Amino acid sequence: MDNRSMIVNQTHLSFLDQLVKDSRPFESCAILLGKCDKGQYFVQEIIPTQNEESSEIRFTIDDNRLFEIYKLADDKNMSVIGIFHSHPSLPFPSETDKVYMKINPVPWIIKSTTTNEMRCFISEDQKNGNENNMISEIEIKVRD
């Protein structure tokens, strides 16, 4: 792990836990709004989204809903700083995730519904024109 981190509070974690429970048996998904400063991603708001695939192993967020969320973030003087979703397996990016992580180069938090573990990753492909599909883990820090 490097010195970047995703900073969330306990209320955010509880909200995400409930979102995962409410979405079962399908993958849950949400957009994280906040600020980024020197590699520190501060979550300020979580916007739950519908999994358009209604799938246990994939998720898709409606393009129009995603546009609305970007506009909302802009209106609130925040940015989209992350994507959250659950996995019915270990909390690591799938091959499909890795493709979309390149398109959406923000941290992705993945929560396992089998181990209850949560981890965060980011694609490094935007750095220096890297084409190797390199993924780095980012520490999740919980603050009260």
Side-chain angles (χ1 to χ4, degrees), residues 70-122:
Y70 271 92
K71 184 171 178 353
L72 174 68
D74 191 52
D75 290 347
K76 292 184 169 197
N77 197 30
M78 291 190 273
S79 299
V80 170
I81 61 160
I83 295 173
F84 168 85
H85 75 288
S86 59
H87 267 193
S89 58
L90 296 176
F92 294 96
S94 66
E95 291 306 312
T96 302
D97 290 341
K98 290 176 185 177
V99 169
Y100 287 99
M101 289 173 83
K102 289 170 83 170
I103 297 168
N104 300 285
V106 294
W108 286 45
I109 296 178
I110 303 170
K111 181 174 177 80
S112 168
T113 58
T114 56
T115 67
N116 212 31
E117 184 182 8
M118 193 179 301
R119 298 179 91 146
C120 186
F121 301 90
I122 192 167

